[in-house]
Amino acid sequence: MDVNAAVAAAAAIAGLCTGVIAVLTFRWSEREQARPTRSSLRPDVNAVLPPGVDTVLSVLRSSAVVLDESDSVVKASSAAYALGLVRGGKLAVDPMLHMARDTRRDGEIRQVELDLPRRGTGRGDALAVSARVAPLGSRLVLLLVEDLTEARRIEAVRRDFVANVSHELKTPTGALSLLSEAVMDASDDPEAVTRFAGRMQIEATRLTNLVQELIDLSRVQNDDPLEDAEPVRVDELVAEAIDRTRHAASTKNITMAAGGTADLHIWGNRGQLAAALGNLVENAVNYSPARTRVGIAARRVSAPGGDLIEIAVTDQGIGISEKDRERVFERFYRVDPARSRATGGTGLGLAIVKHVAASHGGEVTVWSSEGQGSTFTLRLPEAAAPRGRSTAAAPDDGVDEDDGGPHETTAREPIPAPEVLP
């Protein structure tokens, strides 16, 4: 009898323990299901959002965030997470959160532009955004954020370009105005009139060159050179570039030389290619001292996407410092402003070369050493090579994209000196 009582008591105790464990397990399960996580923010989106809103938000280009009455994120696009707007299920930008609360209170649509720090980068530049908050039904608030960073950069490049153009145009036009007054005052002095008239011709030529290069730069940026492309002989481009600078070279007793592989062809727009190579040769002559040598050499090189034609222009001029090599392809940038004023340079020649090379699927690089000269190398696809455009083409400088920003240069030894032309 005592044994039966003991067994019954043990069974009762075991049953009681089992019941306690079951209750505790049920409570723990309920607690885990109620815990908020990032993945649990979206299961019942369709039940909370008005019909069709979820579909509309998914196709918007702007970053979208939907907040409920407790400021919790009901819906957020992947772009909103990428910009760092949402963290831990909450809106992480205080000014936007205050706007959302004000809009929830009075129902008014609000919009503001903000500069946000870039998350996860050591750069000091900010992220420019435009935020717009509007009520979505009676309980929800919709926040749309547009990234304006690239648009701001392009606008800054455009402003700099307009400022530079205005400055460059003002210099020769102002000089022409002063010189014309000087001519009028010196009407009874033939020698002074001749001197001032000569200066006027120089300033007029500089103004004409500046306007023409602005037109050329605009053309190479907007036109597609491959629409009317044709095989172009490299020998003819070299000969044309030498003829273009022959007078300036002979004035300084500079020897012009050409060599390399013969009978090479490039696929592209003949006019743009001639302008690009002509600018390189003209720069080499202008920045070379008297009684030196300028060489032009062409050769074929192998590349993964097809053979390339390299045209190298080498001079024995003043050279380019390392810090200047990073900026020589910017618009209006001059290594030696004083020398550029003396030669009538506009600072647009190398920018034109860069755009022509990029639009033809190629590139332009520079090797230089101060006091020893420079070598500019133009690399373009051969006419027989695939005619597709390179994916590494440089962007717009401002107004690309791309901006007129610095072009990355590559240190490369110059091609062996060509033979002197007869």
Side-chain angles (χ1 to χ4, degrees), residues 285-349:
V285 172
N286 289 339
Y287 285 89
S288 293
R291 293 177 295 278
T292 56
R293 176 189 181 96
V294 171
I296 311 169
R299 66 181 178 184
R300 180 187 293 108
V301 296
S302 298
D307 290 346
L308 298 176
I309 302 301
E310 282 192 351
I311 308 174
V313 180
T314 304
D315 63 61
Q316 298 173 323
I318 60 176
I320 306 173
S321 65
E322 184 177 356
K323 66 179 182 66
D324 288 325
R325 284 200 299 270
E326 298 177 355
R327 302 188 60 190
V328 291
F329 295 99
E330 293 181 26
R331 297 169 178 174
F332 297 107
Y333 186 80
R334 298 181 177 93
V335 175
D336 186 350
R339 183 181 293 268
S340 295
R341 285 193 296 269
T343 59
T346 62
L348 290 174

Side-chain angles (χ1 to χ4, degrees), residues 10 42 71 73 88 92 121 197 227 237 247 376 380 399:
R42 303 186 182 183
D71 293 333
V73 175
T121 64
E227 288 184 356
L237 294 178
H247 176 71
F376 285 85
L380 298 166
V399 288

Side-chain angles (χ1 to χ4, degrees), residues 19 42 47 66 71 100 104 140 159-160 164 178 181 183 209 234 273 276 299 314 323 374:
R42 303 186 182 183
V66 178
D71 293 333
R104 185 185 300 111
L140 305 179
R159 285 198 306 269
D160 291 343
N164 286 328
L178 293 175
E181 294 179 3
V183 168
N209 292 339
V234 176
L273 293 172
R299 66 181 178 184
T314 304
K323 66 179 182 66
S374 306

Side-chain angles (χ1 to χ4, degrees), residues 229-233 265-268 270 383 387:
E230 59 179 337
V232 181
R233 287 180 57 91
H265 293 78
I266 297 174
W267 186 265
R270 178 184 176 83
R387 301 171 187 174

Side-chain angles (χ1 to χ4, degrees), residues 325-330 354 363-366 379 392 394-395 402 405-411:
R325 284 200 299 270
E326 298 177 355
R327 302 188 60 190
V328 291
F329 295 99
E330 293 181 26
K354 183 188 72 172
E363 64 173 349
V364 58
T365 58
V366 58
R379 297 184 188 89
D402 135 54
H407 181 82
E408 183 176 354
T409 57
T410 304

Side-chain angles (χ1 to χ4, degrees), residues 144-222:
L144 296 177
V145 179
E146 190 77 22
D147 188 356
L148 304 178
T149 307
E150 184 64 14
R152 291 270 188 91
R153 186 191 69 82
I154 294 175
E155 183 60 29
V157 172
R158 184 179 285 113
R159 285 198 306 269
D160 291 343
F161 180 73
V162 172
N164 286 328
V165 170
S166 302
H167 174 74
E168 296 295 333
L169 290 174
K170 182 179 179 180
T171 301
T173 52
L176 286 173
S177 176
L178 293 175
L179 289 170
S180 62
E181 294 179 3
V183 168
M184 294 178 61
D185 294 338
S187 57
D188 55 348
D189 186 351
E191 182 179 351
V193 169
T194 301
R195 184 172 67 256
F196 292 142
R199 290 289 306 278
M200 291 178 67
Q201 288 181 341
I202 294 174
E203 296 299 333
T205 300
R206 178 178 300 174
L207 182 61
T208 301
N209 292 339
L210 175 59
V211 172
Q212 184 59 49
E213 289 198 342
L214 287 172
I215 294 173
D216 292 341
L217 181 60
S218 175
R219 182 178 295 117
V220 300
Q221 286 180 327
N222 297 327

